[in-house]
């Protein structure tokens, strides 16, 4: 009888032919081999379950050039509409002041050149700038003064250098607006102070410009140019103040006052 040959000479080992030796009944049974999970990292806290996995969203269809341009135009006009809806009162106010600006500019450059009180052309735009600043505040006064100065110089309605007049108008509108809002109450004597102060500032700027281009003494400049211009501007300033006050008065009323409730 041929002896059983095992691979390592141990009892119960597997032989070369694939058979198995005697089995020890007292030997404990082998543990079952654990199976791998079907998803990754099962013990991690908060790991997504297979039913909770995020599904890939389908891509949005790409737009053509025409559709992209149409979408941008729609967005642009929608923003403009929202801006007009939210700032409609300010836009209407700006349109009214723009119409008054054109009217006073035409009067200053045409009518009052031929019919000048005290022999000098009144500065209607300066009076209007102060009136807007007193009524609406320093921001409106500064912006309106800057625009009025450039338009006045463009149409030849002012004889002051290009660098001085816009700076003076803007400064006058800004400081008069600050004083009217924070320091001095709106009344007739206070408006007279604004007229006088702006006229003095305008006289200083006019004197500097006239001395640089004219061969005249300081007394002649003051007597024949500055003083007539001061009184001519002051003479028409109350009427301009009244027109601007009446035009902007509805914007200063409350909703109940406008509707009469």
């Amino acid at each position: 009888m041929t002896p059983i040959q095992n691979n390592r000479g141990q009892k119960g080992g597997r032989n070369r032919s694939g058979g198995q030796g005697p089995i020890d009944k007292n030997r404990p049974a082998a543990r079952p081999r654990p199976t791998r999970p079907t998803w990754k990292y099962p013990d991690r806290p908060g790991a997504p379950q297979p039913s909770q996995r995020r599904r890939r969203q389908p891509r949005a269809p790409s737009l053509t050039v025409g559709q992209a341009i149409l979408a941008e135009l729609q967005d642009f006009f929608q923003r403009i509409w929202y801006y007009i809806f939210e700032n409609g009162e300010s836009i209407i106010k700006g349109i009214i002041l723009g119409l008054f600006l054109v009217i006073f500019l035409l009067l200053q450059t045409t009518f009052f050149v031929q019919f000048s009180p005290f022999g000098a052309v009144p500065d209607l735009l300066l009076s209007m700038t102060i009136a807007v600043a007193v009524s609406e505040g320093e921001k409106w006064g500064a912006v309106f003064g800057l625009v009025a100065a450039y338009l006045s110089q463009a149409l030849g309605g002012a004889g002051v250098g290009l660098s001085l007049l816009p700076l003076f108008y803007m400064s006058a509108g800004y400081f008069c607006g600050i004083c009217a809002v924070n320091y001095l109450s709106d009344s007739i004597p206070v408006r007279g102070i604004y007229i006088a102060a702006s006229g003095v500032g305008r006289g200083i700027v006019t004197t500097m410009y006239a001395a640089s281009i004219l061969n005249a003494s300081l007394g002649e400049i003051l007597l024949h140019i500055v003083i007539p211009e001061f009184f001519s501007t002051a003479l028409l300033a109350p009427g301009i103040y009244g027109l601007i006050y009446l035009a902007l008065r509805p914007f200063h009323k409350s909703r109940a006052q406008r509707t009469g409730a």
Side-chain angles (χ1 to χ4, degrees), residues 127-165:
S127 300
M128 186 178 176
T129 299
I130 303 303
V132 172
V134 172
S135 179
E136 302 301 321
E138 66 274 11
K139 293 182 180 180
W140 278 87
V143 174
F144 185 86
L146 189 63
V147 174
Y150 278 114
L151 289 179
S152 180
Q153 285 192 333
L155 296 181
V160 185
L162 180 64
S163 61
L164 294 179
L165 191 64

Side-chain angles (χ1 to χ4, degrees), residues 68-88 91:
I69 295 176
L70 182 61
E72 290 294 332
L73 289 176
Q74 290 177 350
D75 184 62
F76 175 74
F77 286 113
Q78 188 176 14
R79 289 198 301 266
I80 292 179
W81 171 252
Y82 285 154
Y83 179 81
I84 294 175
F85 180 77
E86 294 177 356
N87 303 277
I91 294 174

Side-chain angles (χ1 to χ4, degrees), residues 129-130 133 137-139 141-142 168-178:
T129 299
I130 303 303
E138 66 274 11
K139 293 182 180 180
F168 170 69
Y169 270 56
M170 183 178 65
S171 302
Y174 182 77
F175 287 110
C176 288
I178 288 180

